[in-house]
Amino acid sequence: MSITQDLSGGPALTQERRVVTEIPGPKSRELMARKEAAVAGGVGAVLPVFVERAGGAVIEDVDGNRLIDFGSGIAVTSVGNSAEAVVRRATEQLTRFTHTCAMVTPYEGYVAVCEELAKVTPGDHAKKSALFNSGAEAVENAVKIARTYTKRQAIVVFEHGYHGRTNLTMALTAKNMPYKHGFGPFAPEIYRVPVAYPYRWLTGAENCAEEAAAQVIDQITKQIGAENTAAIVIEPLLGEGGFIEPARGFLPRIARFARENGIVFVADEIQSGFCRTGQWFACDDEGVVPDLITTAKGIAGGLPLAAVTGRAEIMDAAHSGGLGGTYGGNPVACAAALGAIETMREQDLAARARRIEEIMKPRLTALAEEFPSIGEVRGRGAMLAVELVKPGGKEPDADLTAAVAKRCHQAGLLVLTCGTYGNVLRFLPPLVIGEELLNEGLDVLRSAFAGE
């Protein structure tokens, strides 16, 4: 095998789990020492192994260990790591030019991505987009656009929501540690309301949608004033807050209230978008058509890109020059996005996500029957989670969650945790993962719960 072949990743990388050293291994530990000396301490690492190459649903570290990837870089490499179409298109673009700044001299790739977003996002109305670098940037700009369009200031967000790490998006985010702690003061005119969290709704899941919607509408009407509210911003399937599926009926009711009161309804689909939940967007599940939708993560197969897409008349509210940024819609990232969308279409990755759910949900449910510490199995498509509690009730068990995750890591399975209480294991496998590898990862997860 040649050196070039040995170092190649992408689809050619053998899709197998292989643990040859302790994890992290000696080379990763050496690199971690260098990281600690050179990188700011606030930049953490879920699993301190250093990656040599990756492809499909496997990550290989510098020590030769191959891990099954149930994280996808937090839902970024949905089309697989170094997917062929992403690499091909990005490489072709690199040979032409790397940057001009779309606000100075534009290029076709930026327009082409916006055209694709108009096609795949919910609704058949006229749409326009603006491109940015990160999910947080997209959310900030959605707020800017909504405020400009409505001439109002108040922004409504939800308990357990996560929207980013910039000053405004920290204000929008619910969880304090590690996202907000010590970083204030935050932007004003942000109001938080309840979300329909069925597992923890006090009067029962069957009452959740109606009661939660009534509370939200009452708080907006009485405490804020619908006439003062520029936007309602919500994740249709909450990510960092615990992969919470709002009770069915809740999102359509909130969207209808927004429409009736001239409020811009913003769907934050940064984690849930691009086939992740078994449809192109999580909003599609209940036929909710947002006024604005924010996307990032899975949009470009690993390159930094984000977007705000929405009704043309709303998107055009901002004055010329009011939206943009030096790197927003970088040509190489745009090329990668076109490759990612091509892959999603050609391989029908929405259907692949549904197949992942068909395999994972029954096995996770069986785990819940075997281990009473699993309070709930939830999610859709390839965006699934288990919430861990102390047996006999619903008290969150963050310590057990961390312990199970650590056992998975040591056995060669990369999993992530989340949740306001730190007690949720979330699973975000690449949508291209093979079924044999998927089942092997679930075997490792079962062993981790058993303490093996």
Side-chain angles (χ1 to χ4, degrees):
M1 182 178 289
S2 71
I3 292 176
T4 301
Q5 290 173 319
D6 188 53
L7 293 179
S8 65
L13 184 63
T14 304
Q15 297 294 287
E16 64 178 11
R17 178 174 64 102
R18 184 176 69 189
V19 179
V20 296
T21 72
E22 62 180 335
I23 297 177
K27 291 181 181 178
S28 280
R29 291 198 298 272
E30 289 177 9
L31 286 166
M32 182 55 65
R34 287 171 55 188
K35 175 182 181 292
E36 289 172 350
V39 179
V43 181
V46 171
L47 175 55
V49 300
F50 282 74
V51 179
E52 179 73 30
R53 56 181 179 164
V58 168
I59 294 172
E60 183 174 314
D61 71 13
V62 290
D63 291 288
N65 299 298
R66 288 183 181 171
L67 286 71
I68 300 173
D69 183 8
F70 272 18
S72 299
I74 318 182
V76 169
T77 54
S78 295
V79 295
N81 221 302
S82 294
E84 185 277 330
V86 172
V87 173
R88 168 171 45 83
R89 286 180 177 255
T91 301
E92 289 172 355
Q93 180 58 48
L94 278 165
T95 64
R96 295 190 182 100
F97 59 93
T98 58
H99 176 72
T100 67
C101 185
M103 299 183 302
V104 178
T105 52
Y107 35 86
E108 183 181 0
Y110 190 114
V111 177
V113 170
C114 294
E115 289 171 338
E116 290 291 349
L117 288 167
K119 293 175 186 175
V120 300
T121 52
D124 57 6
H125 51 276
K127 300 173 198 167
K128 291 188 177 183
S129 295
L131 305 182
F132 305 98
N133 301 297
S134 69
E137 264 193 83
V139 173
E140 286 223 11
N141 279 276
V143 169
K144 286 165 57 177
I145 292 164
R147 283 175 165 164
T148 302
Y149 177 73
T150 62
K151 305 297 188 289
R152 305 171 182 177
Q153 293 187 344
I155 306 297
V156 173
V157 290
F158 291 80
E159 293 174 354
H160 307 289
Y162 175 84
H163 301 286
R165 296 172 183 258
T166 58
N167 185 268
L168 174 59
T169 56
M170 281 190 294
L172 301 176
T173 292
K175 189 174 181 179
N176 176 52
M177 182 63 82
Y179 305 115
K180 301 166 69 170
H181 186 71
F183 296 143
F186 303 115
E189 288 299 308
I190 308 298
Y191 300 88
R192 199 171 314 282
V193 296
V195 74
Y197 188 169
Y199 180 65
R200 295 193 173 275
W201 198 255
L202 291 178
T203 62
E206 67 277 8
N207 301 312
C208 184
E210 183 178 344
E211 291 181 0
Q215 286 188 28
V216 169
I217 291 167
D218 184 69
Q219 285 185 225
I220 294 174
T221 304
K222 303 281 180 56
Q223 299 180 29
I224 306 165
E227 68 278 10
N228 298 319
T229 304
I232 296 173
V233 183
I234 189 168
E235 300 163 276
L237 201 163
L238 283 73
E240 184 63 27
F243 278 32
I244 300 164
E245 283 190 274
R248 292 192 69 81
F250 177 76
L251 285 174
R253 182 68 190 93
I254 300 303
R256 185 167 70 251
F257 170 78
R259 184 170 60 251
E260 291 168 349
N261 288 276
I263 300 167
V264 176
F265 184 82
V266 182
D268 179 343
E269 293 248 21
I270 287 162
Q271 189 163 167
S272 59
F274 292 103
C275 302
R276 174 55 58 181
T277 63
Q279 294 167 297
W280 273 92
F281 294 93
C283 277
D284 294 328
D285 185 61
E286 292 189 84
V288 173
V289 177
D291 297 309
L292 300 178
I293 184 168
T294 60
T295 55
K297 291 192 182 291
I299 192 174
L303 275 73
L305 189 69
V308 182
T309 302
R311 298 184 184 278
E313 67 273 18
I314 299 177
M315 291 297 297
D316 281 342
H319 53 273
S320 179
L323 304 177
T326 301
Y327 297 107
N330 169 270
V332 181
C334 285
L338 294 172
I341 293 170
E342 173 189 327
T343 303
M344 292 171 202
R345 281 205 182 98
E346 291 188 352
Q347 299 187 22
D348 194 359
L349 292 190
R352 293 283 289 273
R354 295 192 296 272
R355 177 58 182 158
I356 288 169
E357 180 180 352
E358 288 175 359
I359 294 170
M360 290 192 73
K361 266 263 180 91
R363 291 204 58 182
L364 294 174
T365 300
L367 281 180
E369 292 170 356
E370 183 178 2
F371 300 101
S373 56
I374 298 178
E376 185 177 47
V377 175
R378 58 177 178 253
R380 296 197 303 272
M383 188 172 178
L384 301 171
V386 292
E387 179 164 354
L388 274 56
V389 295
K390 295 182 179 177
K394 294 185 178 180
E395 182 182 350
D397 197 335
D399 291 340
L400 178 61
T401 306
V404 172
K406 184 175 181 180
R407 290 179 203 137
C408 287
H409 296 165
Q410 291 171 337
L413 173 66
L414 175 58
V415 297
L416 305 173
T417 62
C418 67
T420 300
Y421 313 110
N423 69 320
V424 176
L425 285 168
R426 57 175 158 173
F427 310 112
L428 294 159
L431 304 183
V432 298
I433 190 171
E435 293 187 10
E436 183 177 346
L437 196 66
L438 179 63
N439 276 302
E440 183 178 355
L442 292 167
D443 292 340
V444 173
L445 180 65
R446 192 260 165 211
S447 296
F449 270 101
E452 298 171 356

